[in-house]
Amino acid sequence: MNFLEDEVAKYERRVKRIKENPDPHKLKSNLLLYEMWLDFRKRQLKDWKEGVPFAYLSGGGVQPELFRAMGFQVLHLPMTADRAGSNAPRYFEIARQRGYPDNTCDRIQVEMGLAFSGEWPPPSFVTCFSGECLPITYGSYWIAEHFKCATYAMDFPIEDRGDDGFQYLLKQFRELVSVAETVPGIKFDEAKLGEYQRKIEANHSLQMEIYELKKQVPCPISGKDALRMAGRELLDDPRYIEYYELIRKEMRDKIERGIGALPEEKARVMWVVSAPFYADPFSFLESRGVAVPVYDAGMASGERREYVPPDDEKRHGRRLSPLEYMAFTAAEGTQGRTPGPKAERILKNCRELHLDGVIYFMLSGCMPEIGCGRIVADRLEEELGIPTLLIDGYCLDSAKYNQTDFESKLDAFVSVLLARKGIPA
Amino acid sequence: MVQDTITAEKRLKRLCEAGQEANRFNWAKEWKTQGKKVIGLVDTYIPEEIIYAAGALPWQIFGTWRQNVPLASVYRPPNTCRYCAHVLESFRSGQLDFLDGAVGSDWDDDRRTLWSQWTHLKMMSFRHQLHVPVKDSAVSRLEFIANITRLREVVEEFCGVKITDQSLADAIGVYNKMRALLTRVYEMKKRDVPPLTGAETLGLTTAALVMPKDEFIRELEALLPYLETRKPSVTSPHPRLLVSADRLDNPAYIALIEDAGALVAMDDMDTGSRYFWKEVSLNGDPLTALAERYLTKPACPRMLYWKGQVNQVIAWVKEWKIDGIVNFTLSYSYPRLFGTPYLRDQMEAAGIPFLTIQREYYLGSVGQLRTRVEAFVETLAEDF
């Protein structure tokens, strides 16, 4: 069974399980999310069999909708690798045997192992995006070298430099499109990209409403659900918007009935960077009375709070074309850049959601995030008097995880939070 | 004659030791006594000529060679780039307090965060971060020209001087002279038995990284006639090695290889050949010429054209009659760690013996390193 077939089987099991025995603490909309992923994986398998060209993507600045608008099927490398689950060690082994660093981000190790394993459809195009982190950049560069396919390296400026940065990225997006169009059967349809962007805009409004609902105490969403995201790979699914509408409805219902994700909310924290996907630290925190309403980059995280639509004439001076708008949103991104904008966003989340602390997952090998950790913690303490737990870990390498040790650190942090609030543990 | 030799050897020794931790600050501090500014740099992709043209001393920043970095560890956990950790330690311990400012770059994620840490900790009154594109194309070349134009503006503002095209051309001239002199040194290393060891050569190039260029040029120019006829310390042909590394500034690492019976005849290091290779054109707009030189100089694995890097190394191997390559990766420095499997495969395909050793920034695990190097040298020495 290849990776995509595994995924299909996994989502079929999950859908069946939820239908037969739903967990009352989890969102009902999860069923819809799993059904969407199931259909997407089936579609990928079908496209693979039919010879549809695949584009491998990485990094947040080059989004799936651009490639879908060119006629590619897409595979987002790290986001897909995140779903390797218990198969991850197999892919680590493949990457490490080839000599790749075993102390780098484990998501990238799995991604590379998967790409070389033959369990993913081979790419016709690979994009290397230098903006998020170098393991992501080098991982895709290596994969492009391995498959000797069409590729484009997108160079990303360090800071948001306004119009200069936008123009630089726009020129590169145009080059990327011309390189991609050398792949047989590929033709960029800008109107289609515009359609996707309108869908994203509608979704953004819903996300902001969901974000507002997270301010309620008790929090109407569990930590694990806050971490979930329906990736932009799912944009083609007609239920994409419906999924977020359903979440909003569920949260509203819970608020009306005074039901929270945990029976007695004593404190609330933000979870930052990433998480150990093989463990459930959120349920552990909830068992101690700590809610996690918001995750750094997940659903309604507030990451894109200052949404500027393409027709904002005040900002752009005119309506941007879809490709221009793609460059604009990429230029505005904060991931992997200097910690200032990231810290500002976390501070804002903490103020607006009345958070008591931040848990910063120091993902081993993720240099931009590790390098920011202490800086963010200093600022939270100095500006808001909020403590931060910097906790080391891996997303996928469960062999390096010690549950007792990890939970002891969380527990000690919870004690600090509660003591600061004068609440008995 | 004997006296001349003694004097020249003393002079050479002094120059070769200029980059040592105990000495590397001397010239910068002397420079400051003249009321002039010193600006630190963390990357050899930052065009030093711009700073030099403003009358400031461009000074490549290196960290303490001590093993423990407790002050840096607060902001940089042990699983981050060791060069950056040792540099931050030097900053936090006050070793680099003499710097008036620094220019950082996005050479990799760690150097990017190093700059953020300076900013957060309010270190130095002048800090600038230069974006160096990861590729050389028409579009990225224009981007780099814009970025170094901005660097010129901020340096002008900080130093309170106008950097004219003429002053920039003069600075380029000085740097080209330094490049030409070091190229002559490297030419000598093509000899079967070169007049300088690899450790001495790294001593010279690291001196160039921290000394005022005029003084370095004066010293090296005076020494070159002596070097041309210098009696080599090595008397018989050894396996000739090329060392690949980034931010390797401690000649003891090279001495360790040479003590094992090899001769480091060439390098692929940003503290060595890659620092001075390729002159800047003196024709046309100086910033355009600088952008051209810096984006097309022999690449490090940070740049996304590994094939070009491999071709360059293979060309050096042929020209310097190299028998094998020692690839020193630096702990948690990902550009080389990721590039290594590619470099290894390409070198193996070209029939060039290749050894990768991971190192710390400080000289550590010496016994282990020595054993591995000795084993490698022994396999090569079978042909000698």
Side-chain angles (χ1 to χ4, degrees):
Chain A
M1 207 184 271
N2 67 38
F3 180 86
L4 293 179
E5 289 164 342
D6 254 349
E7 280 276 284
V8 167
K10 179 177 82 183
Y11 287 119
E12 280 174 343
R13 277 196 309 274
R14 283 190 185 176
V15 166
K16 185 167 180 282
R17 192 180 64 224
I18 294 176
K19 281 183 175 167
E20 288 172 355
N21 187 19
D23 180 344
H25 300 294
K26 298 275 162 31
L27 290 172
K28 291 191 188 78
S29 46
N30 288 342
L31 175 63
L32 184 54
L33 179 64
Y34 293 145
E35 283 172 341
M36 286 198 292
W37 275 116
L38 174 61
D39 288 351
F40 178 62
R41 293 297 187 226
K42 283 180 175 170
R43 179 63 197 245
Q44 283 180 311
L45 271 170
K46 184 169 172 284
D47 285 349
W48 186 1
K49 278 180 195 150
E50 290 175 358
V52 173
F54 271 70
Y56 280 11
L57 322 180
S58 56
V62 188
Q63 294 283 4
E65 59 269 22
L66 175 65
F67 295 89
R68 294 294 295 138
M70 288 194 265
F72 282 109
Q73 180 53 275
V74 294
L75 201 100
H76 193 289
L77 298 171
M79 301 287 271
T80 313
D82 284 350
R83 296 166 199 279
S86 58
N87 289 323
R90 187 147 50 99
Y91 307 120
F92 287 137
E93 201 51 36
I94 295 170
R96 290 169 188 172
Q97 273 177 2
R98 285 173 175 252
Y100 294 102
D102 61 359
N103 58 15
T104 187
C105 165
D106 57 345
R107 302 171 70 204
I108 306 305
Q109 290 181 57
V110 167
E111 156 197 313
M112 296 182 79
L114 262 162
F116 299 137
S117 70
E119 293 189 32
W120 272 353
S124 299
F125 183 84
V126 176
T127 172
C128 311
F129 175 71
S130 77
E132 235 167 69
C133 69
L134 289 183
I136 282 185
T137 314
Y138 295 137
S140 14
Y141 186 71
W142 238 112
I143 289 166
E145 281 288 334
H146 175 77
F147 286 102
K148 302 204 182 314
C149 61
T151 182
Y152 186 81
M154 173 81 81
D155 181 60
F156 197 65
I158 312 171
E159 299 283 5
D160 177 6
R161 299 204 322 261
D163 196 51
D164 285 352
F166 161 67
Q167 292 295 344
Y168 181 46
L169 287 174
L170 179 60
K171 283 177 198 161
Q172 292 188 80
F173 270 116
R174 286 185 178 136
E175 285 186 346
L176 182 153
V177 167
S178 22
V179 175
E181 283 184 333
T182 62
V183 174
I186 293 302
K187 183 78 193 150
F188 178 45
D189 179 348
E190 195 162 8
K192 178 132 185 160
L193 178 61
E195 282 172 31
Y196 285 126
Q197 287 172 347
R198 281 189 286 282
K199 217 166 176 181
I200 291 164
E201 187 175 348
N203 169 263
H204 177 80
S205 308
L206 278 165
Q207 295 240 8
M208 288 308 96
E209 284 184 59
I210 293 168
Y211 180 82
E212 290 300 315
L213 297 175
K214 289 179 174 184
K215 290 178 181 172
Q216 295 293 322
V217 179
C219 179
I221 190 168
S222 74
K224 211 165 180 181
D225 284 332
L227 193 76
R228 282 181 217 287
M229 39 184 138
R232 289 197 190 172
E233 299 101 311
L234 302 181
L235 268 173
D236 278 307
D237 194 303
R239 298 162 294 181
Y240 186 73
I241 299 292
E242 184 191 335
Y243 167 65
Y244 286 99
E245 286 171 341
L246 196 54
I247 293 172
R248 180 184 59 183
K249 181 177 180 305
E250 278 190 80
M251 287 173 73
R252 280 180 178 164
D253 287 350
K254 282 189 175 179
I255 290 165
E256 273 173 27
R257 289 187 289 143
I259 302 170
L262 56 160
E264 190 195 352
E265 185 179 308
K266 296 177 182 170
R268 44 175 48 203
V269 298
M270 179 176 185
W271 191 282
V272 177
V273 179
S274 192
F277 300 145
Y278 40 79
D280 183 6
F282 305 103
S283 296
F284 176 82
L285 288 167
E286 283 157 6
S287 74
R288 302 290 191 277
V290 177
V292 187
V294 65
Y295 161 62
D296 195 14
M299 179 181 54
S301 63
E303 189 182 6
R304 286 251 178 241
R305 290 228 67 201
E306 308 303 332
Y307 182 78
V308 183
D311 57 356
D312 185 337
E313 293 207 3
K314 201 173 158 193
R315 181 72 183 262
H316 312 302
R318 62 189 166 85
R319 185 185 177 88
L320 296 182
S321 74
L323 193 65
E324 286 173 331
Y325 188 61
M326 182 113 234
F328 171 78
T329 52
E332 274 208 318
T334 58
Q335 288 287 344
R337 286 182 156 171
T338 47
K342 185 185 178 91
E344 289 298 334
R345 180 161 50 79
I346 295 172
L347 284 160
K348 193 172 181 186
N349 287 163
C350 288
R351 281 191 202 102
E352 291 177 346
L353 299 176
H354 313 294
L355 303 176
D356 302 300
V358 167
I359 297 175
Y360 196 107
F361 188 72
M362 301 277 270
L363 172 59
S364 199
C366 184
M367 300 312 187
E369 301 288 17
I370 294 176
C372 288
R374 174 53 60 191
I375 295 175
V376 170
D378 283 356
R379 288 196 59 187
L380 284 163
E381 188 65 56
E382 285 161 16
E383 295 174 40
L384 299 179
I386 286 179
T388 302
L389 172 67
L390 300 174
I391 189 163
D392 294 329
Y394 290 84
C395 288
L396 294 160
D397 199 348
S398 57
K400 291 174 181 161
Y401 177 72
N402 181 319
Q403 186 177 350
T404 310
D405 182 50
F406 197 85
E407 290 183 350
S408 301
K409 287 173 184 162
L410 293 180
D411 207 26
F413 186 62
V414 171
S415 303
V416 170
L417 293 179
L418 298 184
R420 284 191 177 205
K421 295 184 85 177
I423 299 171
Chain B
M1 181 66 185
V2 173
Q3 191 53 45
D4 287 352
T5 303
I6 292 169
T7 310
E9 279 297 321
K10 274 186 182 167
R11 203 168 186 176
L12 177 63
K13 188 168 183 289
R14 181 172 169 266
L15 196 57
C16 288
E17 289 178 354
Q20 297 269 328
E21 187 177 7
N23 307 325
R24 64 167 86 122
F25 314 105
N26 298 346
W27 285 271
K29 288 179 179 170
E30 168 66 23
W31 183 271
K32 280 183 70 94
T33 62
Q34 300 163 36
K36 294 190 281 188
K37 289 185 165 66
V38 180
I39 296 178
L41 311 165
V42 293
D43 183 357
T44 54
Y45 278 96
I46 301 165
E48 291 186 17
E49 291 90 334
I50 292 173
I51 293 159
Y52 185 86
L57 175 67
W59 194 86
Q60 288 286 335
I61 301 174
F62 289 93
T64 175
W65 288 352
R66 287 195 305 273
Q67 178 178 356
N68 294 325
V69 288
L71 300 170
S73 299
V74 177
Y75 289 89
R76 305 199 66 86
N79 57 351
T80 58
C81 166
R82 298 292 78 204
Y83 160 73
C84 293
H86 284 254
V87 166
L88 189 63
E89 181 72 16
S90 291
F91 269 105
R92 297 204 77 198
S93 66
Q95 204 178 36
L96 299 174
D97 281 354
F98 67 90
L99 288 176
D100 296 291
V103 181
S105 83
D106 53 356
W107 189 84
D108 68 357
D109 297 328
D110 278 282
R111 291 201 207 161
R112 207 158 56 173
T113 58
L114 178 64
W115 184 86
S116 304
Q117 286 148 2
W118 295 342
T119 305
H120 177 68
L121 296 167
K122 300 181 176 60
M123 289 169 165
M124 301 165 289
S125 56
F126 170 73
R127 295 177 300 270
H128 182 75
Q129 193 174 31
L130 180 76
H131 168 54
V132 181
V134 292
K135 60 181 182 181
D136 181 38
S137 67
V139 172
S140 62
R141 185 78 68 87
L142 288 174
E143 163 77 2
F144 195 49
I145 292 171
N147 295 346
I148 60 176
T149 303
R150 175 80 188 125
L151 174 66
R152 173 176 166 164
E153 289 164 2
V154 295
V155 170
E156 280 179 337
E157 196 181 329
F158 178 63
C159 294
V161 294
K162 179 84 188 150
I163 303 173
T164 63
D165 280 0
Q166 187 53 53
S167 59
L168 206 43
D170 292 345
I172 290 170
V174 171
Y175 270 73
N176 278 351
K177 173 103 188 192
M178 181 256 317
R179 292 176 180 124
L181 293 175
L182 283 170
T183 303
R184 278 177 62 190
V185 171
Y186 273 58
E187 283 295 315
M188 292 179 204
K189 297 193 57 113
K190 287 180 178 169
R191 296 179 194 168
D192 284 346
V193 187
L196 283 164
T197 65
E200 286 170 331
T201 311
L202 182 61
L204 284 184
T205 53
T206 50
L209 298 168
V210 295
M211 281 175 69
K213 292 295 173 288
D214 304 83
E215 195 170 343
F216 176 77
I217 287 168
R218 204 165 44 244
E219 285 297 307
L220 187 55
E221 215 163 21
L223 276 169
L224 274 175
Y226 170 70
L227 292 179
E228 290 283 1
T229 56
R230 186 186 185 218
K231 197 177 165 198
S233 56
V234 175
T235 50
S236 60
H238 284 59
R240 296 167 68 85
L241 300 184
L242 177 148
V243 173
S244 273
D246 310 298
R247 295 325 254 186
L248 193 159
D249 65 324
N250 190 342
Y253 269 107
I254 307 298
L256 190 142
I257 295 173
E258 295 185 319
D259 289 347
L263 173 77
V264 175
M266 186 49 184
D267 69 75
D268 161 36
M269 301 199 288
D270 56 355
T271 50
S273 65
R274 282 194 269 121
Y275 175 62
F276 67 85
W277 216 259
K278 193 171 181 180
E279 294 191 0
V280 178
S281 168
L282 281 163
N283 300 321
D285 171 51
L287 289 177
T288 306
L290 283 171
E292 194 270 336
R293 186 264 166 186
Y294 279 88
L295 285 185
T296 60
K297 75 186 178 101
C300 64
R302 180 257 183 199
M303 304 299 274
L304 291 183
Y305 35 87
W306 292 348
K307 186 73 187 161
Q309 189 205 354
V310 162
N311 289 343
Q312 175 67 74
V313 172
I314 290 176
W316 280 333
V317 164
K318 286 181 183 157
E319 223 175 320
W320 270 260
K321 293 177 277 182
I322 297 298
D323 301 302
I325 294 176
V326 174
N327 178 49
F328 268 129
T329 55
L330 176 63
S331 281
Y332 297 100
S333 179
Y334 289 137
R336 184 160 296 276
L337 284 167
F338 268 92
T340 286
Y342 183 80
L343 196 59
R344 176 201 62 204
D345 292 351
Q346 299 292 314
M347 292 307 147
E348 282 175 4
I352 302 165
F354 187 86
L355 171 72
T356 293
I357 304 180
Q358 189 151 319
R359 68 178 179 100
E360 292 298 321
Y361 178 71
Y362 72 94
L363 184 67
S365 310
V366 173
Q368 203 178 350
L369 291 178
R370 184 174 291 129
T371 305
R372 294 202 61 200
V373 170
E374 279 173 356
F376 184 59
V377 171
E378 269 173 36
T379 60
L380 299 175
E382 285 166 7
D383 299 330
F384 284 82

